Amino acid sequence: NAGVTQTPKFRILKIGQSMTLQCTQDMNHNYMYWYRQDPGMGLKLIYYSVGAGITDKGEVPNGYNVSRSTTEDFPLRLELAAPSQTSVYFCASSNQLHEQYFGPGTRLTVT
Amino acid sequence: ILNVEQSPQSLHVQEGDSTNFTCSFPSSNFYALHWYRWETAKSPEALFVMTLNGDEKKKGRISATLNTKEGYSYLYIKGSQPEDSATYLCAFGRGSTLGRLYFGRGTQLTVWP
């Protein structure tokens, strides 16, 4: 089992560019999540999904979009990147106990 | 806004010291309380999931307790080692939003040799 994988590991974007952060899990988990880590602020939930075709907003969804067409994949789309979106992004999935398994993270810089 | 508070924010101890941290969460609509360990430059890893009032979990030198009536959980580390240095996150699961966790900001532990 690879667990939760994320690509890319690092990315630098210019202001106004768009990109998609990829996330895949091979544990057949229904729940998947996107978080961002800001210094001193812990983890902030961007979006989450309780199953294929179902997504919901978290605490900080503005500037992001998600889709969940399969159980395995949960991509996060950034439209019109802004410096405030500079962060480390973690994807996670959870089992029946809602115990979360995190991917390795994507470090994004917007300049 | 649902508040999950952790204290202290940071802690520095000597190797061999025992230490404990606190997580406070809403006592209503409780579903589960999670603890995660997060080493620098890595991803958070689950330590414990507790669902019942009075639950106690143990993994090696690390243990946790849960009081859902008053809304707190303690994490204990016995005989701290430098490899225990990490940020310890707690997360609250609410019954009305199953699957979603509300994370505290964490307690950053540094263990000096």
Side-chain angles (χ1 to χ4, degrees), chain A residues 58-74:
Chain A
E59 298 169 79
V60 290
N62 291 344
Y64 306 94
N65 277 301
V66 292
S67 59
R68 184 96 183 270
S69 55
T70 67
T71 300
E72 295 78 20
D73 300 305
F74 191 39

PDB file of all heavy atoms in Angstrom, chain A residues 58-74:
ATOM      1  N   GLY A  58     -14.660  23.492   4.033  1.00  0.00           N
ATOM      2  CA  GLY A  58     -14.126  23.530   5.377  1.00  0.00           C
ATOM      3  C   GLY A  58     -14.068  24.966   5.873  1.00  0.00           C
ATOM      4  O   GLY A  58     -14.925  25.778   5.554  1.00  0.00           O
ATOM      5  N   GLU A  59     -12.999  25.271   6.625  1.00  0.00           N
ATOM      6  CA  GLU A  59     -12.872  26.605   7.225  1.00  0.00           C
ATOM      7  C   GLU A  59     -12.423  27.660   6.236  1.00  0.00           C
ATOM      8  O   GLU A  59     -12.778  28.833   6.356  1.00  0.00           O
ATOM      9  CB  GLU A  59     -11.827  26.565   8.347  1.00  0.00           C
ATOM     10  CG  GLU A  59     -12.140  25.656   9.494  1.00  0.00           C
ATOM     11  CD  GLU A  59     -10.923  25.516  10.389  1.00  0.00           C
ATOM     12  OE1 GLU A  59     -10.672  26.426  11.196  1.00  0.00           O
ATOM     13  OE2 GLU A  59     -10.197  24.502  10.265  1.00  0.00           O
ATOM     14  N   VAL A  60     -11.566  27.278   5.267  1.00  0.00           N
ATOM     15  CA  VAL A  60     -10.914  28.264   4.391  1.00  0.00           C
ATOM     16  C   VAL A  60     -11.036  27.871   2.925  1.00  0.00           C
ATOM     17  O   VAL A  60     -10.037  27.686   2.226  1.00  0.00           O
ATOM     18  CB  VAL A  60      -9.428  28.452   4.800  1.00  0.00           C
ATOM     19  CG1 VAL A  60      -9.315  29.168   6.122  1.00  0.00           C
ATOM     20  CG2 VAL A  60      -8.686  27.123   4.849  1.00  0.00           C
ATOM     21  N   PRO A  61     -12.250  27.796   2.355  1.00  0.00           N
ATOM     22  CA  PRO A  61     -12.405  27.301   0.988  1.00  0.00           C
ATOM     23  C   PRO A  61     -12.181  28.341  -0.117  1.00  0.00           C
ATOM     24  O   PRO A  61     -12.017  27.965  -1.284  1.00  0.00           O
ATOM     25  CB  PRO A  61     -13.873  26.860   0.977  1.00  0.00           C
ATOM     26  CG  PRO A  61     -14.537  27.800   1.943  1.00  0.00           C
ATOM     27  CD  PRO A  61     -13.521  28.040   3.033  1.00  0.00           C
ATOM     28  N   ASN A  62     -12.161  29.627   0.237  1.00  0.00           N
ATOM     29  CA  ASN A  62     -12.110  30.653  -0.803  1.00  0.00           C
ATOM     30  C   ASN A  62     -10.824  30.575  -1.605  1.00  0.00           C
ATOM     31  O   ASN A  62      -9.724  30.512  -1.057  1.00  0.00           O
ATOM     32  CB  ASN A  62     -12.247  32.049  -0.172  1.00  0.00           C
ATOM     33  CG  ASN A  62     -13.636  32.274   0.381  1.00  0.00           C
ATOM     34  OD1 ASN A  62     -14.566  31.548   0.063  1.00  0.00           O
ATOM     35  ND2 ASN A  62     -13.785  33.284   1.220  1.00  0.00           N
ATOM     36  N   GLY A  63     -10.971  30.587  -2.929  1.00  0.00           N
ATOM     37  CA  GLY A  63      -9.821  30.526  -3.825  1.00  0.00           C
ATOM     38  C   GLY A  63      -9.472  29.112  -4.261  1.00  0.00           C
ATOM     39  O   GLY A  63      -8.506  28.920  -5.007  1.00  0.00           O
ATOM     40  N   TYR A  64     -10.245  28.129  -3.803  1.00  0.00           N
ATOM     41  CA  TYR A  64      -9.979  26.731  -4.109  1.00  0.00           C
ATOM     42  C   TYR A  64     -11.246  26.055  -4.628  1.00  0.00           C
ATOM     43  O   TYR A  64     -12.359  26.470  -4.306  1.00  0.00           O
ATOM     44  CB  TYR A  64      -9.525  25.978  -2.863  1.00  0.00           C
ATOM     45  CG  TYR A  64      -8.353  26.579  -2.132  1.00  0.00           C
ATOM     46  CD1 TYR A  64      -8.559  27.446  -1.057  1.00  0.00           C
ATOM     47  CD2 TYR A  64      -7.049  26.283  -2.500  1.00  0.00           C
ATOM     48  CE1 TYR A  64      -7.492  28.010  -0.377  1.00  0.00           C
ATOM     49  CE2 TYR A  64      -5.971  26.842  -1.828  1.00  0.00           C
ATOM     50  CZ  TYR A  64      -6.211  27.700  -0.756  1.00  0.00           C
ATOM     51  OH  TYR A  64      -5.151  28.253  -0.093  1.00  0.00           O
ATOM     52  N   ASN A  65     -11.019  24.988  -5.405  1.00  0.00           N
ATOM     53  CA  ASN A  65     -12.129  24.129  -5.801  1.00  0.00           C
ATOM     54  C   ASN A  65     -11.678  22.679  -5.754  1.00  0.00           C
ATOM     55  O   ASN A  65     -10.480  22.383  -5.893  1.00  0.00           O
ATOM     56  CB  ASN A  65     -12.587  24.451  -7.232  1.00  0.00           C
ATOM     57  CG  ASN A  65     -13.544  25.621  -7.254  1.00  0.00           C
ATOM     58  OD1 ASN A  65     -14.594  25.580  -6.627  1.00  0.00           O
ATOM     59  ND2 ASN A  65     -13.178  26.675  -7.968  1.00  0.00           N
ATOM     60  N   VAL A  66     -12.629  21.776  -5.547  1.00  0.00           N
ATOM     61  CA  VAL A  66     -12.314  20.355  -5.510  1.00  0.00           C
ATOM     62  C   VAL A  66     -13.348  19.586  -6.326  1.00  0.00           C
ATOM     63  O   VAL A  66     -14.425  20.100  -6.649  1.00  0.00           O
ATOM     64  CB  VAL A  66     -12.302  19.784  -4.076  1.00  0.00           C
ATOM     65  CG1 VAL A  66     -11.151  20.353  -3.263  1.00  0.00           C
ATOM     66  CG2 VAL A  66     -13.639  20.025  -3.393  1.00  0.00           C
ATOM     67  N   SER A  67     -13.002  18.345  -6.626  1.00  0.00           N
ATOM     68  CA  SER A  67     -13.941  17.416  -7.240  1.00  0.00           C
ATOM     69  C   SER A  67     -13.604  16.036  -6.710  1.00  0.00           C
ATOM     70  O   SER A  67     -12.486  15.776  -6.264  1.00  0.00           O
ATOM     71  CB  SER A  67     -13.830  17.461  -8.768  1.00  0.00           C
ATOM     72  OG  SER A  67     -12.508  17.133  -9.169  1.00  0.00           O
ATOM     73  N   ARG A  68     -14.572  15.144  -6.740  1.00  0.00           N
ATOM     74  CA  ARG A  68     -14.325  13.772  -6.266  1.00  0.00           C
ATOM     75  C   ARG A  68     -15.110  12.832  -7.182  1.00  0.00           C
ATOM     76  O   ARG A  68     -16.233  12.446  -6.893  1.00  0.00           O
ATOM     77  CB  ARG A  68     -14.793  13.612  -4.817  1.00  0.00           C
ATOM     78  CG  ARG A  68     -14.485  12.237  -4.237  1.00  0.00           C
ATOM     79  CD  ARG A  68     -13.230  12.212  -3.458  1.00  0.00           C
ATOM     80  NE  ARG A  68     -12.913  10.884  -2.965  1.00  0.00           N
ATOM     81  CZ  ARG A  68     -13.316  10.409  -1.781  1.00  0.00           C
ATOM     82  NH1 ARG A  68     -14.085  11.139  -0.989  1.00  0.00           N
ATOM     83  NH2 ARG A  68     -12.952   9.207  -1.407  1.00  0.00           N
ATOM     84  N   SER A  69     -14.498  12.489  -8.303  1.00  0.00           N
ATOM     85  CA  SER A  69     -15.184  11.639  -9.273  1.00  0.00           C
ATOM     86  C   SER A  69     -14.958  10.156  -8.973  1.00  0.00           C
ATOM     87  O   SER A  69     -15.743   9.306  -9.413  1.00  0.00           O
ATOM     88  CB  SER A  69     -14.738  11.967 -10.701  1.00  0.00           C
ATOM     89  OG  SER A  69     -13.333  11.869 -10.798  1.00  0.00           O
ATOM     90  N   THR A  70     -13.904   9.831  -8.238  1.00  0.00           N
ATOM     91  CA  THR A  70     -13.630   8.443  -7.862  1.00  0.00           C
ATOM     92  C   THR A  70     -13.329   8.378  -6.367  1.00  0.00           C
ATOM     93  O   THR A  70     -13.008   9.395  -5.743  1.00  0.00           O
ATOM     94  CB  THR A  70     -12.433   7.859  -8.619  1.00  0.00           C
ATOM     95  OG1 THR A  70     -11.240   8.557  -8.192  1.00  0.00           O
ATOM     96  CG2 THR A  70     -12.583   8.005 -10.134  1.00  0.00           C
ATOM     97  N   THR A  71     -13.371   7.192  -5.790  1.00  0.00           N
ATOM     98  CA  THR A  71     -13.010   7.024  -4.380  1.00  0.00           C
ATOM     99  C   THR A  71     -11.547   7.360  -4.145  1.00  0.00           C
ATOM    100  O   THR A  71     -11.183   7.893  -3.108  1.00  0.00           O
ATOM    101  CB  THR A  71     -13.280   5.568  -3.938  1.00  0.00           C
ATOM    102  OG1 THR A  71     -14.656   5.284  -4.101  1.00  0.00           O
ATOM    103  CG2 THR A  71     -12.880   5.345  -2.481  1.00  0.00           C
ATOM    104  N   GLU A  72     -10.699   7.061  -5.132  1.00  0.00           N
ATOM    105  CA  GLU A  72      -9.254   7.169  -4.937  1.00  0.00           C
ATOM    106  C   GLU A  72      -8.717   8.590  -5.028  1.00  0.00           C
ATOM    107  O   GLU A  72      -7.727   8.934  -4.396  1.00  0.00           O
ATOM    108  CB  GLU A  72      -8.523   6.314  -5.984  1.00  0.00           C
ATOM    109  CG  GLU A  72      -8.747   4.822  -5.868  1.00  0.00           C
ATOM    110  CD  GLU A  72     -10.087   4.396  -6.435  1.00  0.00           C
ATOM    111  OE1 GLU A  72     -10.685   5.143  -7.239  1.00  0.00           O
ATOM    112  OE2 GLU A  72     -10.552   3.297  -6.062  1.00  0.00           O
ATOM    113  N   ASP A  73      -9.326   9.430  -5.863  1.00  0.00           N
ATOM    114  CA  ASP A  73      -8.703  10.714  -6.204  1.00  0.00           C
ATOM    115  C   ASP A  73      -9.488  11.910  -5.666  1.00  0.00           C
ATOM    116  O   ASP A  73     -10.725  11.946  -5.749  1.00  0.00           O
ATOM    117  CB  ASP A  73      -8.583  10.847  -7.725  1.00  0.00           C
ATOM    118  CG  ASP A  73      -7.736   9.752  -8.312  1.00  0.00           C
ATOM    119  OD1 ASP A  73      -6.589   9.594  -7.871  1.00  0.00           O
ATOM    120  OD2 ASP A  73      -8.228   9.039  -9.217  1.00  0.00           O
ATOM    121  N   PHE A  74      -8.741  12.909  -5.214  1.00  0.00           N
ATOM    122  CA  PHE A  74      -9.375  14.118  -4.663  1.00  0.00           C
ATOM    123  C   PHE A  74      -8.480  15.310  -5.005  1.00  0.00           C
ATOM    124  O   PHE A  74      -7.742  15.816  -4.167  1.00  0.00           O
ATOM    125  CB  PHE A  74      -9.544  13.965  -3.159  1.00  0.00           C
ATOM    126  CG  PHE A  74     -10.411  15.015  -2.508  1.00  0.00           C
ATOM    127  CD1 PHE A  74     -11.560  15.492  -3.116  1.00  0.00           C
ATOM    128  CD2 PHE A  74     -10.079  15.503  -1.239  1.00  0.00           C
ATOM    129  CE1 PHE A  74     -12.365  16.431  -2.497  1.00  0.00           C
ATOM    130  CE2 PHE A  74     -10.878  16.446  -0.611  1.00  0.00           C
ATOM    131  CZ  PHE A  74     -12.017  16.917  -1.240  1.00  0.00           C
TER     132      PHE A  74
END
